[in-house]
Amino acid sequence: MSKNSTVLHETKALISLSNLDHNFKYLRSLTGHNTHILFVVKADAYGHKAELLIPVAEKFADWYGVATVKEAVELRKANAKQPILVFEPVNESTISHYEAHQLAAVVGSFTELEILPQNISFHLEFDTGMGRLGFYAKDWKSLKSKLIEKKIKPSGYMTHFADADEPNSPKTHHQLGIFHALADEFRSFAPEAILHASNSGGLLNYPDAQFDMVRPGISVYGYHPAGADSPLKPVLSLLSYLIAVKPIKKGMAVSYLSKWKAEKDGYVGVIPVGYADGIPRSLSNKIQVNTAGKMLNQVGVITMDYMMVFSEEPLTVGSEVELLGPNSMLADSWAKIAGTIPYEILTGIHPKIKRESIELNNKY
Ligand SMILES: *Cc1c(COP(=O)(O)O)cnc(C)c1O
């Protein structure tokens, strides 16, 4: 096989800014006029690379949300201007960064409240049923006394849904009930503070859960959290290329454990991505990829750095391969096969794979 001069030599994740723009516009159409959007960009924007998204995100997002102070500092370095809310609990080792980088803290325990300096903006988190971080609703009275004693007031109150991906979940109505019941108390104690509860599921399924701000993540990246039909468009496509091609005879096996054998003579194409790149091994023999415009079966066990495809027709070294994207498969189909959720597929794409943003009106 001879190489030609236009061969692709790289595996990369293409980030469609037009799809991002589209998703923001759709989500904006679901929110009230005065409802703020906090764009959740934890785990480097669910594997999309936050800094690439900022030019579009800053037109729509009033806030950013990250898991850690470290992520927040990175985001500031990438020139993010909007306020940043840091979800992780406050602790002694990170506390100095909040002021230095103008970050808003999330406080969910009395221990955190003890170490919180007077001048840091903070949101109080309530655990209404997630069972993870936050005060219980029954803590409100003693919490309020503590705040009065320390002469500090929160700039926000939040809770997080455990089960909002499906519409009409009794659990979500229960959580919402607890938060609504405290809302008047919250507002009278700190009238300027904003209330927020909804992740993507809350935003898409529970219009009465918007309060002053919503916190979508996965939907902005183009996936409905429950896999339901929606106008959302996936932002990330994963591209690679054929690094090697060879003929194969009927009956010959491909890859470890010889789990796949050719039923006909044909060609094997080798793609330089494997489970070390974040492609779940459990997808072996179960996905198709688009190679030079044709859907081909991935065959044999996916290995650490390579996976193989089979074609009856000859293949060309250097041909582009789309693994994830509008012309191949989407992360939620991979997730279904692998027994997981699109969040895990997207955040699992290894950071060693280059992310590259593409402009409006591109086919991705
Ligand atoms: C991750 C996260 C979100 C976003 O959830 P999606 O399901 O991706 O929309 C919102 N709020 C908090 C506190 C989170 O941790």
Side-chain angles (χ1 to χ4, degrees):
M1 273 319 122
S2 68
K3 278 191 187 173
N4 67 50
S5 57
T6 60
V7 294
L8 190 72
H9 288 295
E10 205 175 17
T11 298
K12 54 188 171 186
L14 290 187
I15 304 302
S16 164
L17 296 182
S18 52
N19 286 2
L20 183 70
D21 186 88
H22 166 90
N23 296 338
F24 266 121
K25 283 182 179 138
Y26 172 65
L27 296 170
R28 188 32 102 192
S29 78
L30 304 179
T31 63
H33 275 312
N34 300 319
T35 312
H36 287 178
I37 291 181
L38 176 147
F39 177 27
V40 180
V41 293
K42 61 198 185 198
D44 208 3
Y46 292 37
H48 292 61
K49 200 171 171 102
E51 65 172 82
L52 298 178
L53 311 184
I54 289 176
V56 171
E58 68 183 6
K59 295 193 285 174
F60 299 97
D62 305 286
W63 282 74
Y64 293 109
V66 293
T68 64
V69 167
K70 192 161 178 264
E71 290 175 341
V73 173
E74 290 297 315
L75 202 58
R76 279 279 180 255
K77 274 193 207 148
N79 235 348
K81 304 273 192 302
Q82 275 87 340
I84 300 175
L85 186 65
V86 181
F87 297 152
E88 75 176 331
V90 169
N91 72 67
E92 305 273 6
S93 70
T94 56
I95 199 74
S96 65
H97 296 294
Y98 288 84
E99 202 191 352
H101 299 276
Q102 290 175 303
L103 313 176
V106 172
V107 170
S109 68
F110 288 102
T111 326
E112 291 168 67
L113 210 52
E114 287 304 325
I115 60 171
L116 193 74
Q118 204 93 19
N119 53 350
I120 288 178
S121 161
F122 67 100
H123 293 204
L124 290 174
E125 178 166 13
F126 286 84
D127 182 356
T128 56
M130 176 66 187
R132 194 171 62 177
L133 299 168
F135 295 97
Y136 290 119
K138 68 173 174 54
D139 293 332
W140 170 241
K141 267 212 174 103
S142 39
L143 178 54
K144 196 164 114 182
S145 317
K146 196 87 204 156
L147 296 167
I148 291 169
E149 184 192 313
K150 285 197 71 167
K151 297 195 175 66
I152 52 175
K153 286 195 173 182
S155 42
Y157 299 95
M158 66 184 277
T159 192
H160 189 50
F161 294 133
D163 212 5
D165 297 351
E166 299 290 343
N168 264 317
S169 104
K171 169 112 192 193
T172 306
H173 287 301
H174 180 72
Q175 289 193 253
L176 199 47
I178 296 174
F179 202 59
H180 265 302
L182 280 172
D184 287 342
E185 280 275 342
F186 290 159
R187 293 202 194 279
S188 70
F189 180 70
E192 306 295 314
I194 55 172
L195 273 59
H196 49 105
S198 283
N199 51 6
S200 296
L203 169 55
L204 294 164
N205 298 323
Y206 299 85
D208 56 339
Q210 290 189 6
F211 297 95
D212 305 311
M213 182 159 85
V214 290
R215 305 188 308 263
I218 196 74
S219 53
V220 185
Y221 305 103
Y223 288 92
H224 188 286
D229 284 338
S230 79
L232 298 165
K233 295 183 183 174
V235 171
L236 181 146
S237 295
L238 184 60
L239 299 194
S240 188
Y241 64 103
L242 295 182
I243 198 168
V245 170
K246 61 213 254 185
I248 183 173
K249 292 279 179 213
K250 181 179 169 180
M252 286 169 74
V254 167
S255 196
Y256 295 120
L257 309 170
S258 301
K259 286 198 185 227
W260 184 88
K261 290 195 176 82
E263 286 174 2
K264 295 174 179 164
D265 291 356
Y267 300 84
V268 167
V270 182
I271 307 166
V273 285
Y275 59 79
D277 299 278
I279 316 296
R281 187 174 173 276
S282 56
L283 298 178
S284 295
N285 274 311
K286 293 182 178 152
I287 54 170
Q288 291 80 43
V289 303
N290 189 324
T291 311
K294 272 195 197 149
M295 291 302 280
L296 297 181
N297 288 330
Q298 187 279 315
V299 298
V301 165
I302 293 170
T303 70
M304 191 182 293
D305 301 295
Y306 300 105
M307 64 167 77
M308 279 64 86
V309 291
F310 175 76
S311 167
E312 287 179 50
E313 308 301 324
L315 296 168
T316 312
V317 171
S319 291
E320 183 177 287
V321 174
E322 183 187 300
L323 296 134
L324 281 177
N327 313 299
S328 51
M329 291 180 80
L330 297 176
D332 48 7
S333 337
W334 276 22
K336 227 173 250 164
I337 298 169
T340 181
I341 51 177
Y343 301 67
E344 195 180 18
I345 300 289
L346 294 170
T347 57
I349 298 172
H350 199 277
K352 72 183 175 176
I353 293 179
K354 186 178 173 192
R355 270 70 170 170
E356 192 174 291
S357 61
I358 50 172
E359 291 307 320
L360 299 163
N361 306 323
N362 192 288
K363 67 176 171 159
Y364 299 101

